[in-house]
Amino acid sequence: MKALQVIHFGDIQDSLAYNEVSKPTVGPHDVLIEIKAAAINPIDKSIILGNLQSMLPIPLPSTIAYDLSGIIVEKGDQVSNFDIGDLVYARVPQEQMGTVAEYAVVLDKAVSKKPGNLSFEEAASIPLAGLTALQSLEHAGIKAKDKVLIHAGSGGVGSFAIQYAKAKGAYVYTTTSTKNVPWVKELGADRVIDYKTEDYKTIVKDADIVFDTLGKNYTLEAFQVVKQGGKVVSVVGPLDVESARMFGMAAYELPEDLAALSQAKEATYKFIFMHPNGSHLSEIKTMIEDEKIKPIIDKVYDFSESIEAFKHLATGRAKGKIVIKIS
Amino acid sequence: MIISNCINQKHYYKALEELIKKVKNIVTLSAEAEAYLYSIAQEISVSKGSILIREGQTVDKIYFVTHGCLRSYCTDKNGKEHTLQFAIKNWWISDYIAIHNDEAATLTVECLKDSTVIEFNAQEINGILYQYPEYEPFQRFILERHVVSLHKRILNQLQLTATERYDLFLVQYPDIEQYTRNYHIASYLGITQESLSRIRVDIAKS
């Protein structure tokens, strides 16, 4: 089968290539999915650049990307919750990475039937960003009337998180640039802050939850706007101690400035490491079918234009998700 | 999945008796023909979310709904579902295209709420027409009713506004919104979910 692979680490144009690889074989708990569409995410860019080799080492060559939608064409003998012909979507587990390809083998627990009201392209855009947003906001215990700040409302994770938080009844602040203000408002955010003309730190006060999708100084600033005893969840900031221990970093301590700010506000800080989860995707399926969440797609590329899709991703300018139509 | 077969013998006969009563309203049924109907029918309970017919697979069953609601739909090449039929009490449902043409299913039939159906093997129910020709007018009756329903659906689609189609839909299926998703109804009416939401808002205002 044809697959887009990382052949070495570095510049996108030179590091990706189409290879003919053997069709993967199913294990007892796997399903084989004929991929109809794949979506790409910022993590894929980091992988191609080789920036994640210390944390998530991959062999070369490896097929790229994690998000897919498609049709189950084969299943392992222990798979009982899916049938051949089921239309599904998934964020594949790390060890099964590789969705810009004609087929992928995926652990059944990572898979969900896809929302019936979405096309394959729309469905593929959901899993990684959706799971990241859901797991981050649920870890922070989001509930009705919470004041939530979501950074980068026009991004793949941000645009999903706004809709998810609104579906939970929260009051949502979000930041974005001037040109994105109107459509981000349409996603339901209560207060869209144009970071080019406004300082969010003077607008957001006593947030119950800050969802940090930007990192660096934004992680630290979160403690200025979070309420006493609030929660800061981050998908890009430093690891928290618990997450670091999970990675075997026994001596890891939270950076001093972050630890001091967190302590002063008695606000918790948690790095969210998104994990594939078919049950969470089923929850999302229901919310999508009930129109609480809509997919936001920047552009759909053909399989043959995949490298262009990654170049577009690398600009960081996409509004919503970048999708690759496989078949 | 189908959770039980013939779970309650008394109930089994009651539901089938009711169906046979409907048959007898149309035709005079011999004792042998009635016994044959009993022998080929099977009442089954199906739970919400169960799939009775799956697109791409062989179809040899047709279902008469005695309680609950089933939906048949096709999936387009982009993966979106389009509802063909809702089958509530006293309606028949299957993939007749697949049965008639002896080909794989193009439709999926799913259960939208816990339901009870009487299942027939398509060949066996056709067999009755040859063995017991007196049954034929009933078969023609349900076929004509089905054609009438489809013709009305096509004509409504051609000449009514989306709001008028939705109004008619609610008359035909008064309680259905309790157990269907908006996209089931929107795709049945051939409109977007956004349009359906707008129509509902307009109706609520008026």
Side-chain angles (χ1 to χ4, degrees):
Chain A
M1 68 169 190
K2 198 171 160 190
L4 185 74
Q5 296 200 304
V6 186
I7 50 169
H8 53 77
F9 299 114
D11 177 65
I12 284 170
Q13 181 67 50
D14 302 329
S15 301
L16 293 173
Y18 292 97
N19 284 335
E20 197 59 33
V21 300
S22 53
K23 201 157 130 183
T25 51
V26 292
H29 293 281
D30 291 328
V31 291
L32 178 68
I33 297 171
E34 180 191 338
I35 301 174
K36 304 299 269 184
I40 59 177
N41 293 282
I43 189 173
D44 302 318
K45 181 184 129 190
S46 304
I47 285 171
I48 296 164
L49 294 174
N51 295 346
L52 293 183
Q53 275 306 87
S54 59
M55 231 167 117
L56 300 172
I58 59 158
L60 290 177
S62 277
T63 307
I64 189 72
Y66 296 97
D67 278 337
L68 63 75
S69 67
I71 302 171
I72 294 182
V73 290
E74 204 181 313
K75 65 176 194 170
D77 54 16
Q78 298 296 308
V79 177
S80 58
N81 46 344
F82 293 104
D83 283 299
I84 311 292
D86 279 349
L87 275 50
V88 293
Y89 70 150
R91 190 282 191 189
V92 304
Q94 178 62 35
E95 56 278 16
Q96 295 177 318
M97 185 182 95
T99 61
V100 187
E102 290 172 299
Y103 295 91
V105 148
V106 190
L107 187 68
D108 60 353
K109 284 190 173 62
V111 177
S112 161
K113 289 190 182 156
K114 80 171 205 20
N117 56 339
L118 294 193
S119 68
F120 286 114
E121 284 91 12
E122 290 169 325
S125 76
I126 298 290
L128 191 148
L131 290 171
T132 304
L134 178 149
Q135 290 167 9
S136 299
L137 293 171
E138 286 303 324
H139 186 275
I142 189 168
K143 58 186 188 308
K145 296 188 179 157
D146 273 354
K147 288 204 290 183
V148 182
L149 168 63
I150 296 162
H151 278 300
S154 64
V157 174
S159 56
F160 189 99
I162 291 169
Q163 299 182 80
Y164 187 82
K166 285 310 298 174
K168 294 282 168 178
Y171 183 93
V172 176
Y173 298 93
T174 190
T175 55
T176 192
S177 65
T178 314
K179 65 178 189 324
N180 291 327
V181 168
W183 76 268
V184 169
K185 216 172 252 177
E186 275 178 31
L187 295 178
D190 297 284
R191 179 68 169 91
V192 181
I193 302 162
D194 178 350
Y195 68 75
K196 294 200 168 169
T197 60
E198 299 178 292
D199 179 6
Y200 77 93
K201 298 192 292 301
T202 64
I203 295 166
V204 185
K205 305 274 182 214
D206 294 329
D208 295 277
I209 298 166
V210 178
F211 183 21
D212 167 34
T213 59
L214 294 170
K216 296 179 185 140
N217 56 321
Y218 290 94
T219 314
L220 297 176
E221 286 173 9
F223 292 92
Q224 285 181 42
V225 297
V226 78
K227 74 172 187 186
Q228 198 74 22
K231 287 176 176 160
V232 177
V233 283
S234 178
V235 288
V236 280
L239 293 179
D240 59 277
V241 173
E242 191 190 10
S243 307
R245 299 284 184 271
M246 247 171 52
F247 281 99
M249 298 154 75
Y252 178 87
E253 292 297 338
L254 210 56
E256 274 180 27
D257 46 1
L258 187 57
L261 287 167
S262 168
Q263 206 171 10
K265 269 281 173 84
E266 294 174 332
T268 58
Y269 171 76
K270 179 71 186 164
F271 178 85
I272 303 294
F273 199 79
M274 189 280 306
H275 56 278
N277 186 320
S279 305
H280 285 168
L281 286 178
S282 289
E283 280 178 44
I284 293 171
K285 170 184 185 286
T286 303
M287 294 177 85
I288 290 173
E289 288 175 345
D290 290 343
E291 301 170 273
K292 288 175 178 157
I293 291 172
K294 286 178 187 163
I296 309 293
I297 293 179
D298 182 276
K299 196 170 174 189
V300 179
Y301 289 84
D302 279 337
F303 193 10
S304 60
E305 306 167 321
S306 298
I307 296 175
E308 290 308 308
F310 280 93
K311 286 183 186 168
H312 180 40
L313 173 76
T315 66
R317 298 251 164 83
K319 294 183 211 163
K321 298 301 303 291
I322 299 168
V323 174
I324 297 171
K325 185 179 178 178
I326 304 291
S327 66
Chain B
M1 286 296 110
I2 294 165
I3 54 173
S4 65
N5 290 345
C6 310
I7 41 165
N8 180 323
Q9 203 66 13
K10 198 174 161 193
H11 187 44
Y12 161 70
Y13 281 122
K14 192 164 173 275
L16 191 52
E17 269 170 19
E18 277 178 27
L19 173 60
I20 287 174
K21 212 184 279 175
K22 288 181 206 307
V23 178
K24 285 177 170 173
N25 283 339
I26 310 285
V27 298
T28 308
L29 211 56
S30 67
E32 291 80 14
E34 189 171 331
Y36 180 81
L37 264 180
Y38 273 109
S39 74
I40 63 169
Q42 176 163 245
E43 182 178 315
I44 54 174
S45 299
V46 279
S47 51
K48 182 183 170 184
S50 305
I51 304 287
L52 291 175
I53 292 172
R54 188 179 291 277
E55 185 182 338
Q57 296 188 354
T58 308
V59 185
D60 60 359
K61 300 284 193 296
I62 62 173
Y63 302 94
F64 177 76
V65 181
T66 61
H67 166 76
C69 181
L70 273 57
R71 175 177 82 112
S72 66
Y73 65 88
C74 69
T75 311
D76 67 23
K77 63 180 174 25
N78 297 318
K80 282 194 179 181
E81 294 173 12
H82 301 272
T83 303
L84 176 67
Q85 184 196 354
F86 293 103
I88 53 176
K89 187 179 171 157
N90 293 338
W91 275 97
W92 296 80
I93 191 165
S94 185
D95 183 341
Y96 293 104
I97 304 168
I99 291 173
H100 184 76
N101 293 341
D102 194 19
E103 58 192 28
T106 50
L107 298 175
T108 296
V109 174
E110 69 166 356
C111 182
L112 294 181
K113 65 184 282 201
D114 290 351
S115 301
T116 312
V117 299
I118 299 175
E119 179 189 271
F120 293 92
N121 178 287
Q123 275 190 338
E124 285 176 342
I125 201 143
N126 280 338
I128 195 172
L129 299 173
Y130 298 102
Q131 288 186 53
Y132 306 100
E134 70 260 35
Y135 182 79
E136 199 273 337
F138 179 73
Q139 187 74 354
R140 198 174 65 225
F141 170 78
I142 57 170
L143 202 60
E144 283 175 356
R145 195 179 68 154
H146 214 85
V147 171
V148 167
S149 166
L150 289 174
H151 281 189
K152 277 187 176 171
R153 179 147 153 64
I154 294 166
L155 289 171
N156 292 346
Q157 205 69 24
L158 293 173
Q159 61 190 352
L160 298 186
T161 65
T163 307
E164 288 168 334
R165 296 205 299 276
Y166 178 61
D167 284 341
L168 260 182
F169 175 79
L170 290 183
V171 172
Q172 200 176 358
Y173 303 98
D175 303 320
I176 205 163
E177 288 179 299
Q178 291 167 24
Y179 44 85
T180 50
R181 294 272 167 69
N182 284 353
Y183 83 91
H184 296 160
I185 298 172
S187 71
Y188 177 86
L189 296 173
I191 59 177
T192 63
Q193 284 174 264
E194 290 76 10
S195 299
L196 179 59
S197 300
R198 266 199 304 277
I199 289 169
R200 282 181 175 150
V201 169
D202 290 345
I203 289 173
K205 278 183 192 162
S206 63

